[in-house]
C-alpha cells in the first residue's frame, strides 16, 4: 500500500477542501439548529460530480476510486457531519448494492440518475424489532400473480428517506427460511402503498432526515427485485461492509474538524497570562489525539485501498469504523473540555461535533458488532 | 471561437518573503496556486465555452512544476493546456515574459486572449497589456463582465476608479480580468479523474515565434536592484467634513507630528 497520495488525489483534495470550506461549513450550524436537510448543498455536490464518485463512467458516474469517495466523506464531515452522512448513505448504501448486485437493466435505469445526483438514494434494513439482529425482518414480500410482489411492514431510522427517490429495502419472501428468506428490492418514490412516516428528533447529524418507511400493500414489479430471491441478507451485509468505510471516514472527518477547532482555540484563549496551548496538559492531550486521528486515517485508507484493489476488506472496514468512531467520540469530548464553558455552548462548533460523533458508534453496525466481526475472523 | 487564457503559478501568500541576499522570492514551504485573477479570467472563458462552444486553451510560462495549475485548468474544463518552459526563458522580466507568451500566441489561433489583471507575486499588471501591444490587438483591462454577440463583437464591462464603463471590442482582442468579478467554478470530479491522463503540451523556446534576444535574461531590460518587504501602512483616518474644516484638521495633524 502506498501511503502517499497520487497526484490525482492531491488535485481532488484541493477541490474538496475548498468546496467544504466555502459551500458546506457556512451552513453547518444552521442545518443542525434548524434540523434542515441541506438540499442546496446536494445540488452543488451533484453539479461537480460528488454524488457518483465510485460509479463507473459507463453508468454515468465519475469512475473514481473508493479512496477518493472516502476522502470526500471525510472532508465534508470535517465541517458538517450531516453532509458527510448524506453522501455516505447515498453512495455506499444505495448506489453500491445496485452496482454490485443489480441487473444490467437496473443499473442502466437507476445509476445514471443517482450518480448525477438528480436522484438521492436511501437504504432500509432496520426495523423496530430488527436492529443489530437484522435477520429478524418482519416486513414481508408476497408474490401476487406472476409479476408483482406485495410488500407490507415498516422500516425505521432511514437516512435521507424524505428526499430520496430510490430505496434499497429488505423483506422476508419466506419466513420459514430465516435469513435465507430475506430478499432485496429497489423501491421508487411514489410507488402506491409506499409512504414516509415520522421523522426522528435526534441528538446529532440533525440535518440528515431520518424517518420511517411504511409499506401498506405496496405493489412492486418483480423486475425490482435486487439480486436473487433469498439472497437479500448477503446483499445487506456486503453493502454494510462498504458502508462502514463511509462511516469510518465520517467519524475521521468529525475528529479532524474538532482537532482543527481546538488547535486554533487553544492558541487564542488566554488564562493565567498565557495561551492555554502553553500548558503541558493541553499539549499532551493534543499530541495523543492527533496520533489517534492519524491512526484512524491509516485504517480508513487501508480499507479503501483493499476495496479498490479487490482484496477482501470486511474486517479492515470493521476496524476502521470501530477505531474511527471511538476516536471521534474521544476527540470531540476532549475538544469540548479544552474549550471549557465556551465549548459547551453552540457558539463553538465542537458542541455540535460531539453530538454528531456519537452516531458513528451506533449506525451501520454498533461498535459491539464491529468487534464481533473482527473477533469472528480471528477465532475462525 | 478560440480563447487562450494566460495563467501563472504563484505562491499562495499575502506575506511574500524575500531572500535578502538575492532579492528573489522564497518559495519553499509556500503552496503554489493558480493566480486568482487568472482563475477569474478562466471562468469567463469557460462561460463562453458553455454558451458558444468556444475552444479554450490555457498557457503558462514557468518551471515544470507549473504543470499543477494546468491540470487544475483541465479539471475545470479547458480543452488544451500548454506549458512553456525552457532555460532560455529564465530570468525574464515582464517585457521578456510578455514577449515569450506573445511568441507562443503567434503560433496559435485566437479570437480572444484572456489574462489576469495582475499576478499576486510580481504584481505589476504589465504582462497582459504588453502581450496585446506585441500582437497589435486591441485590449480592455480590469474586466468585470463579458458577453459575446456570437459573431465577432464582445460587450465588456470595465471597472474604473469611480464606477464602470461598458465597451465593445471586436475579435481578435485581449482582456485582463479581476478575480473579484466572478466566482470561478470548482474542478469537476470527471475532470479531476481525467486530468493526469490528458496531455499537457510542453513547449520549448524553439517552438515559439519570437527573436531570441527578446526573451529570458537577454530580453529583460529591468533588473532588480533591491527587493524588500513593504512595511505596512497604518490605516488612515477618514473625516467627512467641509474643505475649511479639513484644512484645520490637516494642519493640526501635521503640527501634532512636528512636521510643521
Ligand atoms: C441517525 C440514524 C440513522 C440510521 N440510518 C439507517 C439507515 O439509513 N438504514 C438502516 O437500515 N438503518 C439505519 N439506522 C439504524 C441503525 O443501523 C441501528 O440503530 C443500529 O444498527 C442498532 O440497532 P438498534 O437501534 O435496534 O439497537 P439494538 O440492536 O437494540 O442495540 C442496543 C444495544 O445492544 C447491543 N447489542 C445488540 N446485540 C448485541 C449482541 N449480540 N452482543 C452484544 N451487544 C449487542 C448493541 O451494540 C447496542 O449497544 C440508523 C440509525 C440512526 C440512529
Ligand atoms: C521579488 C521579485 C523578484 C523578481 N526578480 C526578477 C529578476 O531577478 N529579474 C527579472 O527580470 N524579473 C524579476 N521579477 C519579475 C518577474 O519576472 C515577473 O513577476 C514576471 O515577469 C511576471 O510579471 P508579473 O508577475 O508582474 O505579472 P503581471 O503583469 O502582474 O501579470 C498579469 C497577467 O499576465 C499573465 N502572466 C504573467 N506571467 C505569466 C506567465 N509566466 N505565464 C502565463 N501568464 C502570465 C497572467 O494572466 C497574469 O495575471 C521579479 C519579481 C519579483 C516580485
Amino acid at each position: 500500500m502506498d501511503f502517499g497520495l497520487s497526484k490525482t488525489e492531491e488535485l481532488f483534495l484541493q477541490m474538496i477542501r475548498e468546496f467544504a470550506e466555502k459551500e458546506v461549513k457556512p451552513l453547518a450550524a444552521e442545518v443542525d439548529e434548524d434540523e434542515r436537510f441541506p438540499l442546496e448543498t446536494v445540488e452543488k455536490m451533484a453539479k461537480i460530480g460528488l454524488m457518483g464518485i465510485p460509479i463507473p463512467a459507463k453508468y454515468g458516474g465519475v469512475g473514481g476510486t473508493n479512496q477518493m469517495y472516502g476522502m470526500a466523506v471525510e472532508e465534508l464531515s470535517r465541517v458538517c457531519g450531516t453532509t458527510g452522512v448524506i453522501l455516505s448513505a447515498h453512495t455506499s448504501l444505495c448506489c453500491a448494492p445496485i452496482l454490485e448486485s443489480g441487473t444490467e437493466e437496473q443499473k442502466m435505469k437507476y445509476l445514471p440518475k443517482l450518480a448525477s445526483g438528480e436522484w438521492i438514494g436511501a437504504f432500509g434494513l432496520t426495523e423496530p424489532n430488527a436492529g443489530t439482529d437484522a435477520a429478524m425482518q418482519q416486513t414481508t414480500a408476497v408474490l401476487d400473480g406472476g409479476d408483482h410482489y406485495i410488500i407490507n411492514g415498516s422500516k425505521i431510522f432511514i437516512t435521507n428517506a424524505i428526499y430520496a427517490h430510490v430505496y434499497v429495502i429488505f423483506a422476508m419472501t419466506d419466513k420459514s427460511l430465516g435469513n435465507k428468506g430475506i430478499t432485496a428490492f429497489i423501491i421508487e418514490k411514489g410507488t402506491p402503498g409506499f409512504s414516509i412516516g415520522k421523522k426522528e428528533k435526534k441528538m446529532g447529524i440533525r440535518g440528515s432526515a431520518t424517518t420511517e418507511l411504511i409499506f401498506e400493500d405496496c405493489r412492486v414489479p418483480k423486475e425490482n427485485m435486487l439480486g436473487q430471491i433469498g439472497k437479500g441478507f448477503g446483499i445487506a451485509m456486503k453493502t454494510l461492509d462498504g458502508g462502514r468505510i463511509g462511516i469510518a471516514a465520517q467519524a475521521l472527518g468529525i475528529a479532524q474538524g474538532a482537532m482543527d477547532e481546538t488547535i486554533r482555540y487553544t492558541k487564542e484563549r488566554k488564562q493565567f497570562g498565557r495561551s492555554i496551548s502553553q500548558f503541558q496538559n493541553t499539549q499532551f492531550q493534543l499530541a495523543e489525539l492527533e496520533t489517534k486521528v492519524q491512526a484512524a486515517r491509516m485504517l480508513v485508507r487501508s480499507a479503501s485501498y483493499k476495496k479498490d484493489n479487490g482484496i477482501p476488506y470486511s474486517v479492515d472496514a470493521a476496524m476502521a469504523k470501530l477505531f474511527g468512531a471511538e476516536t471521534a467520540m474521544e476527540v470531540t469530548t476532549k475538544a469540548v473540555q479544552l474549550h471549557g464553558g465556551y465549548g459547551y455552548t453552540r457558539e463553538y462548533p465542537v458542541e455540535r461535533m460531539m453530538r454528531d460523533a456519537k452516531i458513528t458508534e451506533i449506525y451501520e453496525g454498533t461498535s459491539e458488532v464491529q468487534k464481533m466481526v473482527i473477533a469472528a475472523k480471528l477465532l475462525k | 471561437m478560440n480563447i487562450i487564457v494566460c495563467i501563472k503559478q504563484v505562491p499562495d501568500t499575502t506575506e511574500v518573503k524575500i531572500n535578502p541576499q538575492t532579492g528573489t522570492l522564497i518559495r519553499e514551504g509556500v503552496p503554489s496556486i493558480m493566480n486568482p485573477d487568472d482563475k477569474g479570467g478562466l471562468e469567463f472563458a469557460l462561460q463562453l465555452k458553455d454558451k458558444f462552444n468556444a475552444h479554450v486553451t490555457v498557457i503558462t510560462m514557468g518551471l515544470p512544476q507549473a504543470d499543477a495549475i494546468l491540470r487544475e485548468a483541465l479539471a475545470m474544463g479547458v480543452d488544451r493546456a500548454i506549458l512553456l518552459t525552457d532555460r532560455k526563458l529564465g530570468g525574464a522580466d515582464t517585457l521578456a515574459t510578455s514577449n515569450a507568451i506573445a511568441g507562443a500566441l503567434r503560433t496559435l489561433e485566437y479570437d480572444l486572449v484572456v489574462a489576469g489583471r495582475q499576478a499576486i507575486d510580481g504584481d505589476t499588471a504589465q504582462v497582459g497589456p504588453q502581450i496585446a501591444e506585441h500582437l497589435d490587438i486591441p485590449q480592455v483591462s480590469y474586466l468585470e463582465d463579458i458577453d459575446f454577440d456570437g459573431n465577432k463583437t464582445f460587450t465588456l464591462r470595465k471597472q474604473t476608479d469611480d464606477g464602470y464603463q461598458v465597451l465593445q471590442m471586436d475579435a481578435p482582442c485581449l482582456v485582463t480580468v479581476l478575480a473579484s468579478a466572478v466566482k470561478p467554478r470548482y474542478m469537476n470530479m470527471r475532470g479531476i479523474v481525467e486530468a493526469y491522463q490528458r496531455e499537457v503540451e510542453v513547449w520549448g523556446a524553439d517552438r515559439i515565434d519570437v527573436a531570441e534576444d527578446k526573451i529570458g535574461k537577454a530580453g529583460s531590460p529591468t533588473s532588480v536592484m533591491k527587493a524588500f518587504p513593504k512595511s505596512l501602512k497604518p490605516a488612515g483616518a477618514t473625516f467627512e467634513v467641509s474643505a475649511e474644516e479639513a484644512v484645520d484638521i490637516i494642519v493640526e495633524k501635521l503640527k501634532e507630528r512636528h512636521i510643521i
Side-chain angles (χ1 to χ4, degrees):
Chain A
M1 180 192 172
D2 181 358
F3 289 96
L5 297 178
S6 70
K7 285 192 174 283
T8 303
E9 286 161 352
E10 270 172 22
L11 199 60
F12 169 65
L13 258 192
Q14 180 191 335
M15 183 282 281
I16 191 74
R17 286 205 172 130
E18 190 182 340
F19 181 85
E21 198 64 29
K22 291 199 181 143
E23 313 293 335
V24 183
K25 190 176 180 180
L27 297 181
E30 179 223 315
V31 157
D32 172 64
E33 191 68 35
D34 300 348
E35 305 192 16
R36 184 172 76 75
F37 188 92
L39 254 188
E40 73 271 47
T41 305
V42 175
E43 278 165 21
K44 287 179 196 164
M45 295 201 292
K47 203 169 154 200
I48 53 178
L50 288 172
M51 300 298 277
I53 299 173
I55 312 299
K58 163 174 175 204
Y59 301 118
V62 163
T65 57
N66 287 287
Q67 195 69 265
M68 280 162 106
Y69 157 65
M71 284 158 61
V73 175
E74 177 189 339
E75 293 297 330
L76 296 171
S77 304
R78 186 173 174 177
V79 297
C80 174
T82 284
T83 308
V85 77
I86 291 171
L87 180 62
S88 185
H90 167 84
T91 310
S92 288
L93 300 187
C94 186
C95 297
I98 295 176
L99 178 66
E100 283 161 12
S101 307
T103 61
E104 197 55 30
E105 290 78 55
Q106 287 170 335
K107 292 188 215 182
M108 290 313 273
K109 180 168 180 198
Y110 296 107
L111 290 177
K113 285 193 167 137
L114 286 166
S116 70
E118 187 184 334
W119 285 352
I120 297 174
F123 173 87
L125 176 66
T126 306
E127 295 183 2
N129 293 314
T132 299
D133 190 5
M136 282 298 290
Q137 296 282 312
Q138 281 164 16
T139 297
T140 56
V142 180
L143 200 58
D144 176 41
D147 51 5
H148 278 81
Y149 275 93
I150 306 280
I151 301 185
N152 275 294
S154 71
K155 300 284 168 184
I156 48 162
F157 300 150
I158 308 308
T159 303
N160 287 352
I162 302 176
Y163 299 91
H165 293 72
V166 182
Y167 306 74
V168 170
I169 67 111
F170 300 84
M172 278 286 183
T173 37
D174 188 343
K175 267 199 163 136
S176 68
L177 296 175
N179 68 21
K180 293 199 170 62
I182 298 173
T183 303
F185 293 90
I186 304 171
I187 309 288
E188 289 179 41
K189 182 185 201 148
T191 305
F194 169 50
S195 61
I196 304 292
K198 115 172 174 317
K199 182 176 163 190
E200 303 296 339
K201 286 187 166 295
K202 305 194 297 290
M203 173 195 283
I205 55 162
R206 294 179 5 134
S208 73
T210 311
T211 65
E212 250 180 315
L213 306 181
I214 298 167
F215 301 93
E216 289 165 310
D217 290 332
C218 172
R219 257 170 78 87
V220 183
K222 208 175 159 186
E223 306 89 81
N224 284 31
M225 186 192 288
L226 180 63
Q228 288 164 331
I229 192 159
K231 298 286 187 206
F233 194 70
I235 292 174
M237 292 304 116
K238 193 173 166 199
T239 300
L240 290 173
D241 280 345
R244 283 166 193 159
I245 296 183
I247 300 308
Q250 184 200 21
L252 169 61
I254 294 171
Q256 183 62 60
M259 287 301 293
D260 299 342
E261 294 296 333
T262 308
I263 290 165
R264 187 178 326 123
Y265 184 81
T266 55
K267 283 203 273 191
E268 283 166 7
R269 173 70 174 168
K270 288 203 167 55
Q271 288 292 279
F272 297 97
R274 48 189 176 153
S275 71
I276 59 171
S277 65
Q278 283 170 289
F279 299 127
Q280 195 183 52
N281 176 59
T282 308
Q283 296 171 356
F284 280 11
Q285 295 226 29
L286 288 175
E288 277 175 25
L289 296 177
E290 175 68 10
T291 305
K292 288 187 184 173
V293 171
Q294 272 302 335
R297 183 168 289 116
M298 289 302 120
L299 285 172
V300 175
R301 295 263 163 92
S302 146
S304 305
Y305 171 86
K306 289 190 177 175
K307 181 160 201 239
D308 280 329
N309 290 280
I311 303 165
Y313 67 93
S314 160
V315 174
D316 302 81
M319 292 193 289
K321 182 180 181 285
L322 172 64
F323 188 73
E326 286 182 351
T327 300
M329 214 45 227
E330 183 182 347
V331 172
T332 54
T333 308
K334 291 189 172 158
V336 169
Q337 189 68 18
L338 287 167
H339 276 70
Y342 296 96
Y344 195 67
T345 71
R346 294 204 178 169
E347 288 298 305
Y348 287 86
V350 289
E351 181 270 348
R352 180 185 77 241
M353 291 169 170
M354 183 174 161
R355 286 185 286 106
D356 284 354
K358 184 62 204 174
I359 189 60
T360 64
E361 294 186 313
I362 297 172
Y363 57 17
E364 300 198 29
T366 60
S367 287
E368 292 73 26
V369 169
Q370 311 311 323
K371 290 178 195 172
M372 290 182 218
V373 171
I374 299 162
K377 171 80 188 305
L378 286 178
L379 303 173
K380 196 164 76 177
Chain B
M1 177 170 40
N2 287 303
I3 305 177
I4 301 177
V5 188
C6 303
I7 62 176
K8 185 184 181 190
Q9 190 177 44
V10 293
D12 180 12
T13 176
T14 40
E15 216 185 294
V16 175
K17 294 205 176 63
I18 290 169
N19 180 331
Q21 265 91 52
T22 62
T24 52
L25 294 175
I26 301 172
R27 285 171 188 265
E28 284 101 78
V30 183
S32 293
I33 57 166
M34 190 188 304
N35 182 48
D37 283 341
D38 307 0
K39 215 182 208 182
L42 182 51
E43 175 57 33
F44 278 135
L46 290 170
Q47 287 178 8
L48 291 170
K49 176 180 160 92
D50 294 342
K51 268 200 230 161
F52 300 99
N53 208 16
H55 182 275
V56 179
T57 301
V58 282
I59 182 165
T60 190
M61 180 178 105
L63 297 171
Q65 54 263 36
D67 179 76
I69 59 166
L70 296 172
R71 302 290 170 181
E72 182 180 353
L74 287 170
M76 286 170 73
V78 308
D79 301 292
R80 184 179 179 191
I82 300 169
L83 171 63
L84 188 55
T85 188
D86 198 315
R87 279 174 192 279
K88 289 184 192 149
L89 298 165
D93 67 2
T94 63
L95 187 63
T97 301
S98 61
N99 264 318
I101 295 171
L105 291 175
R106 283 189 195 101
T107 71
L108 295 163
E109 303 225 332
Y110 57 84
D111 301 288
L112 178 66
V113 178
V114 180
R117 172 201 40 189
Q118 75 194 65
I120 58 172
D121 56 347
D123 250 345
T124 67
Q126 292 172 359
V127 174
Q130 287 175 356
I131 293 171
E133 289 304 312
H134 298 316
L135 297 173
D136 200 16
I137 55 174
Q139 59 172 297
V140 168
S141 56
Y142 289 43
L143 197 79
E144 285 184 330
D145 199 11
I146 185 164
D147 204 0
F148 182 56
D149 69 355
N151 180 27
K152 67 173 182 126
T153 306
F154 294 97
T155 302
L156 313 147
R157 201 168 89 173
K158 173 192 167 72
Q159 190 191 72
T160 62
D161 281 344
D162 43 13
Y164 63 87
Q165 297 175 340
V166 176
L167 304 163
Q168 286 194 327
M169 180 162 62
D170 283 350
C173 57
L174 180 142
V175 295
T176 78
V177 176
L178 301 175
S180 56
V182 64
K183 185 183 170 197
R185 67 195 57 196
Y186 292 97
M187 291 181 253
N188 68 75
M189 287 303 304
R190 179 87 52 91
I192 290 169
V193 168
E194 289 170 357
Y196 280 92
Q197 292 158 14
R198 289 173 63 189
E199 191 198 355
V200 164
E201 295 171 40
V202 181
W203 289 16
D206 55 349
R207 176 75 174 71
I208 63 178
D209 181 7
V210 66
E212 282 238 355
D213 62 354
K214 289 212 150 67
I215 56 170
K217 201 132 192 84
S220 299
T222 40
S223 58
V224 178
M225 296 282 292
K226 183 175 174 225
F228 51 91
K230 230 171 33 176
S231 56
L232 292 176
K233 281 191 213 140
T238 310
F239 300 91
E240 301 235 349
V241 292
S242 71
E244 288 88 67
E245 283 172 277
V247 170
D248 289 344
I249 292 171
I250 292 168
V251 169
E252 185 60 34
K253 292 277 168 203
L254 291 174
K255 278 186 181 161
E256 229 172 67
R257 289 167 191 224
H258 309 290
I259 293 170
I260 53 173

